[in-house]
Amino acid sequence: MCLSNLSNVLSKTRKPTTQEKKRHTIKAQIVICLLTLTIFSVVVDKGRPHDFSLFKGSGLLLYPDALLLADSGYQGMHKHHQNSALPIKKKKGQRLSTEDKAHNKALSKQRIFIEHINRRCKIFRIVKEVYRGKHKNYSLTWNLVAALVNLRYRCI
């Protein structure tokens, strides 16, 4: 299983200046099976939540023996899911060792398939571009896109 985050921004009629924050954002998190490359779950939240807080708030029940691959936005995942693999970050003023670099490279080789699924989702314009619908319908939109991606690319 793997977690991935995608965000969409609702734009206003005028361009924001550099001091303004983007306030009308929606973040989507998808859970994907690496064996079948199907999307299991889509979690949507308003605003700009941190990746890990979105995961904690989603209430997803994952099998404890399932391997969970996540990016560096999920630091601290080992406390909630013991069987998880995260990239190793370098410490301040130090370099990564060759073993840590090899670990990060092996993890990114597994996660590239997840990025391909993100691309399959982003083919749909309603997910790729500025979402102009109601916020309450954004979860339904993502679930429909996930179902279409699963149906189109299923392995028979």
Side-chain angles (χ1 to χ4, degrees):
M1 292 193 177
C2 187
L3 297 174
S4 180
N5 282 310
L6 304 169
S7 62
N8 198 352
V9 178
L10 296 175
S11 68
K12 296 188 261 185
T13 56
R14 62 186 175 91
K15 288 185 177 179
T17 62
T18 56
Q19 287 108 14
E20 292 180 6
K21 298 274 186 180
K22 294 179 183 176
R23 296 184 187 109
H24 300 287
T25 58
I26 306 172
K27 189 172 239 183
Q29 178 185 63
I30 56 178
V31 179
I32 301 167
C33 176
L34 274 176
L35 297 175
T36 59
L37 296 179
T38 56
I39 301 173
F40 280 155
S41 171
V42 178
V43 179
V44 175
D45 196 11
K46 293 180 185 176
R48 299 183 312 152
H50 192 270
D51 298 343
F52 188 51
S53 63
L54 181 63
F55 173 74
K56 288 191 295 188
S58 67
L60 288 173
L61 298 175
L62 300 175
Y63 188 67
D65 293 337
L67 176 64
L68 190 89
L69 303 177
D71 59 2
S72 59
Y74 292 91
Q75 295 296 323
M77 179 68 75
H78 293 293
K79 294 177 184 174
H80 294 276
H81 191 79
Q82 297 298 324
N83 196 11
S84 59
L86 299 171
I88 300 170
K89 295 171 100 175
K90 76 173 191 76
K91 294 184 170 83
K92 189 174 182 178
Q94 296 180 0
R95 294 185 178 198
L96 282 177
S97 65
T98 55
E99 296 87 18
D100 292 343
K101 286 183 181 180
H103 173 266
N104 287 350
K105 189 164 188 164
L107 185 62
S108 66
K109 282 184 178 181
Q110 290 177 339
R111 282 189 41 84
I112 192 66
F113 298 110
I114 306 310
E115 299 303 325
H116 292 318
I117 300 229
N118 290 345
R119 181 197 59 84
R120 290 176 185 174
C121 292
K122 293 287 187 165
I123 287 173
F124 295 91
R125 267 180 75 181
I126 195 163
V127 178
K128 176 175 60 174
E129 293 181 357
V130 175
Y131 183 70
R132 300 197 181 274
K134 295 181 179 178
H135 279 226
K136 66 179 183 177
N137 295 337
Y138 193 63
S139 177
L140 176 64
T141 302
W142 258 104
N143 284 323
L144 289 173
V145 167
L148 288 172
V149 167
N150 286 342
L151 182 66
R152 183 175 183 185
Y153 294 103
R154 67 176 178 198
C155 298
I156 296 178

